[in-house]
Each structure stands twice: as C-alpha cells, then as structure tokens.
Amino acid sequence: TQLLEQSPQFLSIQEGENLTVYCNSSSVFSSLQWYRQEPGEGPVLLVTVVTGGEVKKLKRLTFQFGDARKDSSLHITAAQPGDTGLYLCAGDPAFANDYKLSFGAGTTVTVRA
Amino acid sequence: NAGVTQTPKFQVLKTGQSMTLQCAQDMNHEYMSWYRQDPGMGLRLIHYSVGAGITDQGEVPNGYNVSRSTTEDFPLRLLSAAPSQTSVYFCASSDLQGPGYTFGSGTRLTVV
C-alpha cells in the first residue's frame, strides 16, 4: 500500500486541452514535491509546496497543496506535446521526522499534437 | 555539469553474479539515496545516507548493500543477483534542508 495515491494512472489529451493530476493521502506531509520524468531519464523536480493551501504557478502549471497538507494537485493549462511525461508526487510524512520521501506511483500524461 | 552521475547506464547479469552500481554527486549534498523503479509501483527506497559513514535501510533493502566513505560517492552493491532485481535503479541526492532531490539518469539492470 502506497502512502500517496495518484490519479488518474494514465491521461491522454489533445494539444490545447487542460488536465489535472491528483495526489492524495490519509497522512499529513511536511512538504510535497512534484517531479516530471521523461523516458530513459531520472525525475526532475518541478516544485515544492510546504504550506497548507499554498498555490504555486510555473508558467502553464499550477500546483496546489491542500489545506490539511494531505493532498495536492497539478493543473496544466493548454497542454503541449512537450508536457508529455510521467508525473510523480512525493512527500515527507510529518510523523516520520526524517529526510526520506515517499513517492506516488505516477501519472503518465500523453499530449497528442 | 553539476549533478548526479550514475554508471553503468545498462547492465545484464546472470543469476548469482554480484556487481556495484556507482553514484557520484558534486553538489556537496549530505543526503543520498537509492531507489528502484518498477512499472506501476513508483519509486521504492532501497537504502539512504545522511552523511559520510552513516547509512540506513529503506523500504526494500534485502539483497543490497551500501557504504558512504565520502560525501560524493554512494555505491550500491548487489550481493547475488536474482531475476526479481531486474529494475531501473536511480540514485538521488539533496541538502538535508531540501528543497528537493536531484536524480541521476538511472541504471537499467536485467538479471537473467
């Protein structure tokens, strides 16, 4: 059983459409991170959110941390083929008091031209 | 370029063989870790280290050993390879204060 559940597992959309990826847990997290991974490469950090209710924007990507710090979402506006990849959320549980991250299983996003 | 370097990129082993996956970082990060990535299971922590001379087990440590003699290097040793260890292995590093991990480009290991 994974500490972080991501949904959906797969997402295929047309260029120009919007999409949202969800990351949920029953545990509280001190911080939560989003990564994007392309085939044959390691994950690359997109953003870290640390405050409940926090919203961060990175160009067409909007990240939100839930008020209770148990969930997060990633919204992409006007998706482009370059947004294709595996999106992973990761968090450090508030109860753990260590430096280890727990990862969700990921959402595979395909943006068709 | 600064970052995390993993070698080799690809490796095929026979059951029972041993090998070491290399990981080096040049960012003076205290924290280093090894993950394996399998389809549908995300990234699972094998071992981690918060500084030279300090290592600890993660979620799936069986069959793997690590050591951390320097800040820069964190090798992962497979003692006696098994087909269940076929996976993609990633090394990651970070400052203890965050804000996030820097990953290597991975080693794809196949055990036959």
Side-chain angles (χ1 to χ4, degrees):
Chain A
T1 303
Q2 295 200 266
L3 201 56
L4 285 164
E5 298 290 336
Q6 284 189 242
S7 61
Q9 187 176 359
F10 299 97
L11 196 55
S12 180
I13 60 171
Q14 201 70 32
E15 182 176 4
E17 294 181 337
N18 301 333
L19 68 95
T20 302
V21 176
Y22 299 94
C23 178
N24 295 298
S25 178
S26 58
S27 297
V28 176
F29 291 89
S30 301
S31 68
L32 206 140
Q33 301 166 12
W34 285 93
Y35 293 81
R36 180 168 65 210
Q37 183 179 17
E38 299 186 12
E41 298 295 328
V44 175
L45 179 68
L46 296 174
V47 77
T48 300
V49 285
V50 297
T51 304
E54 182 176 2
V55 176
K56 279 193 174 180
K57 293 192 175 183
L58 188 66
K59 296 184 180 178
R60 294 176 294 100
L61 278 61
T62 301
F63 305 86
Q64 187 161 6
F65 200 13
D67 291 340
R69 292 187 288 131
K70 293 182 177 182
D71 55 86
S72 181
S73 64
L74 157 61
H75 182 79
I76 302 180
T77 303
Q80 299 176 359
D83 296 323
T84 293
L86 176 67
Y87 288 82
L88 296 160
C89 67
D92 57 328
F95 62 80
N97 197 30
D98 59 26
Y99 309 101
K100 297 183 291 185
L101 289 183
S102 292
F103 281 82
T107 295
T108 300
V109 172
T110 304
V111 183
R112 305 184 304 275
Chain B
N1 289 339
V4 177
T5 302
Q6 287 185 240
T7 56
K9 184 78 171 174
F10 300 95
Q11 184 70 49
V12 179
L13 288 178
K14 294 183 179 179
T15 297
Q17 286 185 319
S18 62
M19 79 159 295
T20 300
L21 308 186
Q22 301 292 344
C23 175
Q25 53 94 6
D26 58 3
M27 298 169 285
N28 203 33
H29 285 165
E30 303 97 328
Y31 182 87
M32 295 186 75
S33 56
W34 277 100
Y35 286 85
R36 58 178 290 173
Q37 186 174 39
D38 302 289
M41 302 189 74
L43 288 158
R44 292 184 292 168
L45 182 64
I46 304 171
H47 285 286
Y48 67 101
S49 168
V50 297
I54 306 169
T55 63
D56 207 344
Q57 296 181 348
E59 182 184 354
V60 289
N62 292 341
Y64 308 95
N65 273 358
V66 291
S67 60
R68 184 99 178 265
S69 56
T70 66
T71 300
E72 295 78 18
D73 299 299
F74 191 45
L76 177 72
R77 298 182 187 84
L78 279 71
L79 309 174
S80 177
S84 61
Q85 293 179 305
T86 293
S87 188
V88 182
Y89 291 85
F90 288 100
C91 179
S93 73
S94 75
D95 282 329
L96 291 179
Q97 287 74 34
Y101 288 5
T102 300
F103 282 86
S105 58
T107 295
R108 183 173 293 275
L109 176 67
T110 302
V111 183
V112 298

Coordinates of all heavy atoms in Angstrom, one line a residue, chain A residues 1-2 9 31-33 35 37 39-45 47-48 86 88 98-106, chain B residues 9 31 35 37 40-45 48 50 57-58 90 94-97 99-106 108:
Chain A
T1 N 0.9 -1.2 0.0 CA 0.0 0.0 0.0 C 0.9 1.2 0.0 O 1.8 1.4 0.8 CB -0.9 0.0 1.2 OG1 -1.7 -1.1 1.3 CG2 -1.8 1.3 1.1
Q2 N 0.6 2.1 -1.0 CA 1.4 3.3 -1.1 C 0.8 4.4 -0.2 O -0.4 4.6 -0.1 CB 1.5 3.8 -2.5 CG 2.2 2.7 -3.4 CD 2.8 3.3 -4.6 OE1 2.1 3.2 -5.7 NE2 4.0 3.9 -4.6
Q9 N -4.1 7.1 -13.4 CA -2.9 6.5 -13.7 C -2.3 6.9 -15.1 O -1.2 7.0 -15.3 CB -3.0 5.0 -13.6 CG -1.7 4.2 -13.7 CD -2.0 2.7 -13.5 OE1 -3.1 2.2 -13.3 NE2 -0.9 1.9 -13.6
S31 N 6.0 18.6 3.6 CA 6.1 19.2 2.3 C 5.7 18.2 1.2 O 5.7 17.0 1.5 CB 7.5 19.8 2.0 OG 8.4 18.7 1.9
L32 N 5.4 18.7 0.1 CA 5.1 17.8 -1.0 C 5.8 18.3 -2.3 O 5.8 19.6 -2.5 CB 3.6 17.7 -1.2 CG 3.1 16.4 -1.9 CD1 1.8 15.9 -1.2 CD2 2.9 16.6 -3.3
Q33 N 6.3 17.4 -3.1 CA 7.0 17.8 -4.3 C 6.4 17.1 -5.5 O 5.8 16.1 -5.4 CB 8.5 17.4 -4.2 CG 9.2 18.0 -3.0 CD 10.5 17.3 -2.7 OE1 11.0 16.5 -3.4 NE2 11.0 17.6 -1.5
Y35 N 7.5 16.0 -9.5 CA 8.6 15.7 -10.4 C 8.0 15.3 -11.8 O 6.9 14.8 -11.9 CB 9.4 14.5 -9.9 CG 10.2 14.8 -8.7 CD1 9.6 14.7 -7.4 CD2 11.6 15.2 -8.7 CE1 10.3 15.0 -6.3 CE2 12.3 15.4 -7.6 CZ 11.7 15.3 -6.4 OH 12.4 15.5 -5.2
Q37 N 9.2 13.0 -15.2 CA 10.2 12.1 -15.7 C 9.9 11.8 -17.2 O 8.8 11.4 -17.5 CB 10.2 10.8 -14.9 CG 11.2 9.8 -15.2 CD 11.2 8.6 -14.4 OE1 10.2 8.3 -13.7 NE2 12.3 7.8 -14.4
P39 N 11.1 9.5 -20.6 CA 11.7 8.1 -20.9 C 13.2 8.1 -20.9 O 13.8 8.9 -21.5 CB 11.1 7.7 -22.2 CG 9.8 8.5 -22.3 CD 10.1 9.8 -21.7
G40 N 13.8 7.1 -20.1 CA 15.2 7.0 -20.1 C 16.0 8.0 -19.2 O 17.2 8.0 -19.2
E41 N 15.2 8.8 -18.5 CA 15.9 9.8 -17.7 C 15.4 9.7 -16.2 O 14.4 9.0 -16.0 CB 15.6 11.2 -18.2 CG 16.1 11.5 -19.6 CD 17.6 11.4 -19.6 OE1 18.3 11.8 -18.6 OE2 18.2 11.0 -20.7
G42 N 16.1 10.4 -15.3 CA 15.6 10.4 -14.0 C 14.6 11.5 -13.8 O 14.4 12.4 -14.6
P43 N 13.8 11.4 -12.7 CA 12.8 12.5 -12.4 C 13.5 13.9 -12.2 O 14.6 13.9 -11.7 CB 12.1 12.0 -11.1 CG 12.4 10.6 -11.1 CD 13.7 10.4 -11.7
V44 N 12.8 14.9 -12.6 CA 13.3 16.3 -12.4 C 12.3 17.0 -11.6 O 11.1 17.0 -11.9 CB 13.5 17.0 -13.8 CG1 13.9 18.4 -13.6 CG2 14.5 16.2 -14.6
L45 N 12.8 17.7 -10.6 CA 11.9 18.4 -9.6 C 11.3 19.6 -10.3 O 11.9 20.4 -11.0 CB 12.8 19.0 -8.5 CG 12.0 19.8 -7.4 CD1 11.0 18.9 -6.6 CD2 13.0 20.4 -6.5
V47 N 8.5 21.4 -8.5 CA 8.1 22.4 -7.4 C 8.0 21.7 -6.1 O 7.9 20.5 -6.0 CB 6.7 23.0 -7.8 CG1 5.6 22.0 -7.4 CG2 6.4 24.3 -7.0
T48 N 8.2 22.5 -5.0 CA 8.0 22.0 -3.7 C 7.0 22.9 -3.0 O 7.1 24.2 -3.1 CB 9.3 22.0 -2.8 OG1 10.3 21.2 -3.5 CG2 9.1 21.6 -1.4
L86 N 5.9 11.3 -17.3 CA 5.4 10.7 -16.1 C 5.5 11.7 -15.0 O 6.6 12.2 -14.7 CB 6.2 9.4 -15.7 CG 5.9 8.7 -14.4 CD1 4.5 8.1 -14.5 CD2 6.9 7.6 -14.1
L88 N 5.2 12.6 -11.1 CA 5.3 11.9 -9.8 C 5.1 12.9 -8.6 O 5.7 14.0 -8.7 CB 6.7 11.2 -9.6 CG 7.0 10.1 -10.6 CD1 8.5 9.9 -10.6 CD2 6.3 8.8 -10.1
D98 N 12.2 12.4 9.3 CA 13.5 12.0 8.7 C 13.5 12.7 7.3 O 12.6 13.5 7.0 CB 13.6 10.5 8.6 CG 12.5 9.8 7.8 OD1 11.9 10.5 7.0 OD2 12.3 8.6 8.1
Y99 N 14.4 12.3 6.5 CA 14.6 13.0 5.2 C 14.1 12.2 4.1 O 14.3 12.6 2.9 CB 16.1 13.3 5.1 CG 16.7 14.0 6.3 CD1 17.5 13.3 7.2 CD2 16.5 15.3 6.5 CE1 18.0 13.9 8.3 CE2 17.0 16.0 7.6 CZ 17.8 15.2 8.5 OH 18.3 15.9 9.6
K100 N 13.5 11.1 4.3 CA 13.0 10.2 3.3 C 11.7 10.7 2.6 O 10.8 11.1 3.3 CB 12.8 8.8 3.8 CG 14.1 8.2 4.4 CD 13.9 6.7 4.8 CE 13.0 6.7 6.0 NZ 12.9 5.3 6.5
L101 N 11.7 10.5 1.3 CA 10.5 10.9 0.6 C 9.7 9.6 0.2 O 10.3 8.6 -0.1 CB 10.8 11.6 -0.7 CG 11.3 13.0 -0.6 CD1 11.5 13.6 -2.0 CD2 10.4 13.9 0.2
S102 N 8.4 9.7 0.3 CA 7.5 8.6 -0.2 C 7.0 9.1 -1.6 O 6.5 10.3 -1.7 CB 6.3 8.4 0.7 OG 6.8 7.8 1.9
F103 N 7.0 8.2 -2.6 CA 6.6 8.6 -3.9 C 5.2 7.9 -4.2 O 5.0 6.8 -3.8 CB 7.6 8.2 -4.9 CG 8.8 9.1 -5.0 CD1 9.8 9.0 -4.1 CD2 8.8 10.1 -6.0 CE1 10.9 9.8 -4.2 CE2 9.9 10.9 -6.1 CZ 11.0 10.8 -5.2
G104 N 4.4 8.6 -5.0 CA 3.3 8.0 -5.6 C 3.7 7.2 -6.8 O 4.9 7.3 -7.3
A105 N 2.8 6.4 -7.3 CA 3.1 5.5 -8.5 C 3.2 6.3 -9.8 O 3.7 5.7 -10.8 CB 2.1 4.4 -8.6
G106 N 2.7 7.5 -9.8 CA 2.9 8.3 -11.0 C 1.6 8.3 -11.9 O 0.8 7.4 -11.9
Chain B
K9 N 25.0 2.7 -17.5 CA 23.7 3.0 -17.9 C 22.8 1.8 -18.1 O 21.6 1.8 -17.8 CB 23.8 3.8 -19.3 CG 22.4 4.3 -19.8 CD 22.0 5.5 -19.1 CE 20.7 6.1 -19.8 NZ 20.2 7.3 -19.0
Y31 N 22.6 14.3 1.9 CA 21.7 13.2 1.8 C 21.8 12.5 0.4 O 21.8 13.2 -0.6 CB 20.2 13.7 1.9 CG 19.2 12.6 1.8 CD1 18.8 11.9 3.0 CD2 18.6 12.3 0.7 CE1 17.9 10.9 2.9 CE2 17.6 11.3 0.6 CZ 17.3 10.6 1.7 OH 16.3 9.6 1.7
Y35 N 16.9 4.3 -5.2 CA 15.6 3.9 -5.4 C 15.6 2.9 -6.6 O 16.4 2.9 -7.4 CB 14.7 5.0 -5.9 CG 14.3 6.0 -4.7 CD1 15.1 7.0 -4.4 CD2 13.1 5.8 -4.1 CE1 14.8 7.9 -3.4 CE2 12.7 6.7 -3.0 CZ 13.6 7.7 -2.7 OH 13.2 8.6 -1.7
Q37 N 12.8 1.5 -9.6 CA 11.5 1.9 -10.2 C 11.0 0.7 -11.0 O 11.7 0.3 -12.0 CB 11.7 3.1 -11.1 CG 10.4 3.7 -11.6 CD 10.6 5.0 -12.4 OE1 11.5 5.2 -13.1 NE2 9.6 5.9 -12.2
G40 N 4.2 0.6 -12.5 CA 3.0 0.6 -11.6 C 3.3 0.7 -10.1 O 2.4 0.7 -9.3
M41 N 4.6 0.7 -9.7 CA 4.9 0.7 -8.3 C 5.6 1.9 -7.9 O 6.0 2.1 -6.7 CB 5.8 -0.6 -8.0 CG 5.1 -1.9 -8.3 SD 5.9 -3.3 -7.7 CE 5.6 -3.2 -6.0
G42 N 5.9 2.8 -8.8 CA 6.6 4.0 -8.4 C 8.0 3.8 -8.0 O 8.6 2.8 -8.4
L43 N 8.5 4.7 -7.2 CA 9.9 4.6 -6.8 C 9.9 4.1 -5.3 O 9.3 4.6 -4.5 CB 10.6 6.0 -6.8 CG 10.9 6.6 -8.2 CD1 11.0 8.1 -8.1 CD2 12.2 6.0 -8.7
R44 N 10.7 3.1 -5.1 CA 10.8 2.5 -3.8 C 12.2 2.6 -3.3 O 13.2 2.3 -3.9 CB 10.4 1.0 -3.8 CG 8.9 0.8 -4.1 CD 8.5 -0.7 -4.1 NE 9.1 -1.4 -5.2 CZ 9.2 -2.8 -5.2 NH1 8.6 -3.5 -4.3 NH2 9.7 -3.4 -6.3
L45 N 12.3 3.1 -2.0 CA 13.6 3.4 -1.4 C 14.3 2.1 -1.0 O 13.8 1.3 -0.3 CB 13.4 4.3 -0.2 CG 14.6 4.8 0.5 CD1 15.5 5.6 -0.4 CD2 14.2 5.5 1.8
Y48 N 19.6 4.6 2.2 CA 19.8 6.0 2.1 C 20.9 6.4 3.1 O 21.3 5.6 4.0 CB 18.6 6.9 2.4 CG 18.0 6.7 3.8 CD1 18.3 7.7 4.8 CD2 17.2 5.7 4.2 CE1 17.8 7.6 6.0 CE2 16.7 5.5 5.5 CZ 17.0 6.5 6.4 OH 16.5 6.4 7.7
V50 N 22.6 10.0 5.3 CA 22.5 11.4 5.7 C 23.9 12.0 5.9 O 24.0 13.2 6.3 CB 21.7 11.6 6.9 CG1 20.2 11.2 6.7 CG2 22.2 10.9 8.1
Q57 N 18.6 1.6 6.2 CA 17.7 0.8 5.2 C 16.5 1.6 4.9 O 15.9 2.3 5.7 CB 17.3 -0.5 5.8 CG 18.5 -1.4 6.1 CD 18.1 -2.8 6.7 OE1 16.9 -2.9 7.1 NE2 19.0 -3.7 6.7
G58 N 16.0 1.4 3.7 CA 14.8 1.9 3.2 C 13.7 0.9 3.2 O 13.7 0.0 4.1
F90 N 17.7 4.3 -9.5 CA 18.1 5.7 -9.5 C 18.7 6.1 -8.2 O 18.3 5.6 -7.1 CB 16.8 6.5 -9.7 CG 16.2 6.5 -11.0 CD1 15.1 5.7 -11.3 CD2 16.7 7.3 -12.1 CE1 14.6 5.6 -12.6 CE2 16.2 7.2 -13.3 CZ 15.1 6.4 -13.6
S94 N 20.3 15.3 -2.1 CA 19.7 16.6 -1.7 C 20.4 17.2 -0.5 O 21.1 16.4 0.2 CB 18.2 16.5 -1.5 OG 18.0 15.8 -0.2
D95 N 20.2 18.5 -0.3 CA 20.6 19.0 1.0 C 19.6 18.5 2.1 O 18.5 18.2 1.7 CB 20.4 20.6 1.0 CG 21.6 21.2 0.3 OD1 22.7 20.7 0.4 OD2 21.4 22.3 -0.4
L96 N 20.0 18.4 3.3 CA 19.1 17.9 4.3 C 17.9 18.9 4.5 O 16.9 18.5 4.9 CB 19.9 17.8 5.7 CG 20.9 16.6 5.7 CD1 21.6 16.6 7.1 CD2 20.3 15.3 5.4
Q97 N 18.1 20.2 4.2 CA 17.1 21.1 4.3 C 16.2 21.2 3.0 O 15.3 22.1 2.9 CB 17.6 22.5 4.7 CG 18.2 22.6 6.1 CD 19.5 21.9 6.3 OE1 20.3 21.8 5.4 NE2 19.7 21.3 7.4
P99 N 15.6 21.9 -1.2 CA 14.1 21.7 -1.4 C 13.6 20.5 -2.1 O 12.4 20.3 -2.2 CB 13.7 23.0 -2.2 CG 14.9 23.1 -3.1 CD 16.1 22.7 -2.3
G100 N 14.5 19.7 -2.6 CA 14.1 18.5 -3.4 C 15.3 17.7 -3.8 O 16.4 18.1 -3.6
Y101 N 15.0 16.6 -4.4 CA 16.1 15.7 -4.9 C 16.6 16.0 -6.3 O 15.8 16.4 -7.1 CB 15.5 14.2 -4.9 CG 15.2 13.6 -3.6 CD1 15.4 14.2 -2.4 CD2 14.9 12.2 -3.5 CE1 15.1 13.6 -1.2 CE2 14.6 11.6 -2.4 CZ 14.7 12.3 -1.2 OH 14.5 11.7 0.0
T102 N 17.8 15.7 -6.5 CA 18.4 15.7 -7.8 C 18.7 14.2 -8.1 O 19.4 13.6 -7.3 CB 19.7 16.5 -7.9 OG1 19.5 17.9 -7.6 CG2 20.3 16.4 -9.3
F103 N 18.1 13.8 -9.2 CA 18.3 12.4 -9.6 C 19.3 12.2 -10.7 O 19.5 13.1 -11.5 CB 17.0 11.8 -10.2 CG 15.9 11.5 -9.1 CD1 15.1 12.4 -8.6 CD2 15.8 10.2 -8.6 CE1 14.1 12.1 -7.7 CE2 14.9 9.9 -7.7 CZ 14.0 10.8 -7.2
G104 N 20.0 11.0 -10.6 CA 20.8 10.6 -11.8 C 19.9 10.1 -12.9 O 18.7 10.0 -12.8
S105 N 20.5 9.7 -14.0 CA 19.8 9.3 -15.2 C 19.4 7.8 -15.2 O 18.7 7.3 -16.1 CB 20.5 9.6 -16.5 OG 21.8 9.0 -16.5
G106 N 19.9 7.1 -14.1 CA 19.4 5.7 -13.9 C 20.3 4.7 -14.5 O 21.1 4.9 -15.4
R108 N 19.7 0.7 -16.0 CA 18.7 -0.3 -16.3 C 19.4 -1.7 -16.1 O 20.3 -2.0 -16.9 CB 18.1 -0.1 -17.7 CG 17.1 -1.2 -18.1 CD 16.4 -0.8 -19.4 NE 15.7 0.4 -19.4 CZ 14.4 0.5 -19.0 NH1 13.8 -0.6 -18.6 NH2 13.8 1.7 -19.0

